[in-house]
């Protein structure tokens, strides 16, 4: 173990984006496979922990540059050790050059608790505290009873981000015991948590269970300032109630929420059976002359700066059905109004025929 820690000085990490984290360990989400000393230490697991904790004060440098928007810096061995300890424990240890003693104390506290409680109870305690990494380890190593712990953890978590990551962890269970957790999360107070649960249920072939909760999440929150992801999800549903929900309480909605709806109704996002409903909703938006809030700086390609909702809707109709509608978003306002009026006439003629 000591030799592997020393070999970290020759380790070259991987930086996926700039700025962004440097990785010394394999990452499933990047399909990144690492085989260096850092990965070997992570694979050794708990027996390596005491020496790794000591190495949190090692100032030696690796052979890894950390690229920022500005100057580069070289990653220290202790920073690689933080990633290794976080992987082994499922907990998150943050590195700060000026506060490494705090990181080391936190790691020792975790290790002392682990030795007293054992692995299973340590993972349960961590999961109940909202640590998704420990929840994932609990599911992997002790799947029996993990669902109950996760359910209690999500119910106790006051931070939406913690609930979101716990729901993601629950999705990896795949025994059927996670389904009640996902269904309950459809009623979460935060739309991102709801969406995460909904996406998993859709993947399991249970889209219908997500329609009413997600439609209600949209219709009940007229003060939503944006809502891109929720609007996009509803637009993509095969159930027509998704698109129908997007048009609810239209006049009460913010400019940001309305733009989210218009953008969500791009024809490649909407199911073929629901495209007529999408076209009708965009036609309604042609009468909406709402403008962005002052100094919002809203911009969309092919349109004048800070466009009205009716401009956005007209452009989307022209993009979706270029064989029917024409719209020049860079024209003068009077010319745009004339084009919008023409689109309305064509749309009404199609509906009356």
């Amino acid at each position: 173990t000591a030799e592997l820690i020393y070999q970290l000085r020759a380790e070259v990490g991987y930086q996926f984006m700039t700025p962004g984290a440097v990785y010394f360990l394999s990452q499933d989400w990047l399909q990144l496979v690492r085989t260096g000393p850092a990965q070997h230490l992570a694979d050794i697991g708990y027996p390596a922990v005491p020496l790794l904790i000591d190495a949190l004060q090692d100032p030696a440098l690796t052979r890894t540059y950390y690229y920022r928007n500005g100057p580069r810096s070289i990653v220290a061995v202790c920073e690689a050790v933080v990633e290794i300890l976080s992987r082994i424990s499922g907990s998150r240890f943050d590195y700060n050059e000026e506060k490494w003693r705090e990181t080391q104390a936190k790691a020792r506290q975790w290790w002392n608790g682990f030795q007293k409680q054992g692995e299973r109870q340590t993972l349960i305690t961590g999961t109940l505290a909202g640590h998704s990494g420990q929840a994932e380890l609990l599911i992997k190593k002790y799947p029996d009873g993990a669902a109950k712990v996760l359910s209690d953890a999500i119910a106790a978590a006051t931070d939406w981000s913690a609930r979101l990551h716990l729901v993601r962890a629950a999705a990896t269970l795949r025994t059927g015991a996670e389904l009640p957790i996902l269904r309950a999360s459809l009623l979460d107070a935060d739309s991102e948590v709801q969406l995460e649960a909904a996406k998993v249920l859709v993947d399991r072939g249970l889209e219908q269970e997500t329609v009413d909760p997600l439609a209600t999440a949209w219709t009940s929150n007229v003060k939503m300032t944006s809502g891109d992801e929720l609007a996009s999800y509803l637009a993509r549903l095969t159930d027509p109630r998704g698109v129908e929900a997007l048009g609810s309480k239209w006049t009460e909605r913010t400019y940001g929420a309305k733009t989210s709806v218009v953008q969500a109704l791009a024809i490649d996002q909407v199911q073929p059976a629901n495209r007529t409903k999408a076209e009708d909703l965009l036609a309604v938006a042609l009468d909406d002359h709402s403008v962005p809030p002052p100094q919002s700086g809203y911009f969309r390609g092919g349109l004048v700066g800070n466009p009205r909702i009716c401009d956005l809707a007209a452009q989307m109709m022209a993009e979706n059905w270029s064989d029917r509608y024409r719209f020049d978003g860079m024209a003068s306002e009077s010319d745009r109004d004339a084009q919008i009026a023409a689109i309305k006439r064509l749309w009404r003629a199609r509906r009356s025929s």
Side-chain angles (χ1 to χ4, degrees), residues 19-20 27 38 43 61 66 87 91 126 142 150 153 155 160 169-170 176 181 215 231 240 256 265 268 297-298 300 317:
Q27 304 291 329
D43 293 340
L61 302 177
Y66 176 69
R87 176 67 60 84
S91 188
Y142 306 96
L150 279 161
W160 70 269
I181 297 173
L265 295 178
D268 59 346
Y298 183 87
R300 189 176 191 274
M317 291 181 76

Side-chain angles (χ1 to χ4, degrees), residues 5-6 8-9 55 58-62 75-82 84:
I5 292 174
Y6 184 83
L8 291 175
R9 301 175 183 212
D58 189 341
L61 302 177
T62 68
V75 179
V77 166
C78 49
E79 294 179 75
V81 170
V82 165
I84 299 166

Side-chain angles (χ1 to χ4, degrees), residues 180-199:
I181 297 173
L182 297 170
R183 290 174 178 130
S185 296
L186 290 174
L187 305 176
D188 194 273
D190 187 88
S191 62
E192 288 199 45
V193 179
Q194 292 177 299
L195 279 167
E196 189 64 31
K199 290 172 184 176

Side-chain angles (χ1 to χ4, degrees), residues 255 291-299 306:
Y255 179 91
V291 295
Q295 300 180 336
S296 67
Y298 183 87
F299 174 80
N306 295 323

Side-chain angles (χ1 to χ4, degrees), residues 11-309:
E11 184 82 290
V12 178
Y14 176 80
Q15 187 170 8
F16 174 62
M17 59 186 294
T18 304
V22 172
Y23 299 108
F24 292 92
L25 301 177
S26 298
Q27 304 291 329
D28 291 341
W29 67 283
L30 284 174
Q31 297 183 321
L32 175 67
V33 178
R34 304 284 303 186
T35 58
Q39 186 62 52
H40 285 312
L41 286 163
D43 293 340
I44 290 171
Y46 299 124
V49 166
L51 288 180
L52 285 169
I53 291 176
D54 290 341
L56 285 171
Q57 57 186 306
D58 189 341
L61 302 177
T62 68
R63 295 194 178 186
T64 304
Y65 277 117
Y66 176 69
Y67 291 90
R68 298 181 175 86
N69 291 331
R72 300 180 300 176
S73 60
I74 301 176
V75 179
V77 166
C78 49
E79 294 179 75
V81 170
V82 165
E83 183 185 358
I84 299 166
L85 280 172
S86 296
R87 176 67 60 84
I88 293 171
S89 67
S91 188
R92 178 174 176 174
F93 299 112
D94 296 316
Y95 175 76
N96 185 310
E97 186 176 357
E98 297 178 356
K99 298 181 179 179
W100 64 265
R101 287 185 177 83
E102 292 181 15
T103 301
Q104 193 173 53
K106 182 180 177 182
R108 290 193 194 283
Q109 182 181 26
W110 162 76
W111 183 236
N112 291 336
F114 179 93
Q115 291 176 302
K116 292 177 182 177
Q117 298 182 10
E119 182 181 47
R120 184 174 186 275
Q121 189 55 49
T122 298
L123 293 175
I124 289 174
T125 301
T127 299
L128 291 173
H131 301 309
S132 59
Q134 291 182 303
E136 290 170 5
L137 286 177
L138 179 67
I139 291 168
K140 181 179 179 180
K141 297 187 175 185
Y142 306 96
D144 294 341
K148 175 64 167 61
V149 178
L150 279 161
S151 179
D152 291 344
I154 292 170
T158 57
D159 179 67
W160 70 269
S161 180
R163 296 196 302 276
L164 175 67
H165 288 93
L166 287 169
V167 167
R168 288 175 178 166
T172 67
L173 194 53
R174 293 189 174 278
T175 63
E178 75 280 8
L179 293 179
I181 297 173
L182 297 170
R183 290 174 178 130
S185 296
L186 290 174
L187 305 176
D188 194 273
D190 187 88
S191 62
E192 288 199 45
V193 179
Q194 292 177 299
L195 279 167
E196 189 64 31
K199 290 172 184 176
V200 177
L201 288 168
V202 169
D203 288 342
R204 308 284 169 86
L206 299 172
E207 178 188 291
Q208 284 299 310
E209 296 191 29
T210 74
V211 178
D212 285 338
L214 272 296
T216 299
W218 178 266
T219 58
S220 63
N221 188 1
V222 296
K223 300 301 181 185
M224 190 180 297
T225 55
S226 179
D228 290 353
E229 285 196 51
L230 181 54
S232 181
Y233 178 84
L234 291 169
R236 291 196 305 268
L237 290 173
T238 57
D239 192 305
R241 289 176 294 169
V243 173
E244 290 169 1
L246 292 175
S248 68
K249 302 178 182 177
W250 183 263
T251 58
E252 300 175 43
R253 297 206 173 270
T254 64
Y255 179 91
K258 291 174 181 177
T259 59
S260 295
V261 172
V262 172
Q263 291 168 5
L265 295 178
I267 198 165
D268 59 346
Q269 292 195 62
V270 180
Q271 297 292 329
N274 296 329
R275 287 173 184 171
T276 297
K277 288 183 180 292
E279 185 179 3
D280 291 347
L281 178 50
L282 289 169
V284 170
L286 293 175
D287 291 321
D288 191 328
H289 288 71
S290 302
V291 295
Q295 300 180 336
S296 67
Y298 183 87
F299 174 80
R300 189 176 191 274
L303 277 173
V304 294
N306 295 323
R308 303 167 299 177
I309 292 298

Side-chain angles (χ1 to χ4, degrees), residues 309-329:
I309 292 298
C310 55
D311 296 320
L312 291 167
Q315 185 185 49
M316 186 59 72
M317 291 181 76
E319 291 176 358
N320 283 352
W321 301 281
S322 58
D323 58 328
R324 306 175 196 170
Y325 308 118
R326 297 287 185 274
F327 185 72
D328 178 6

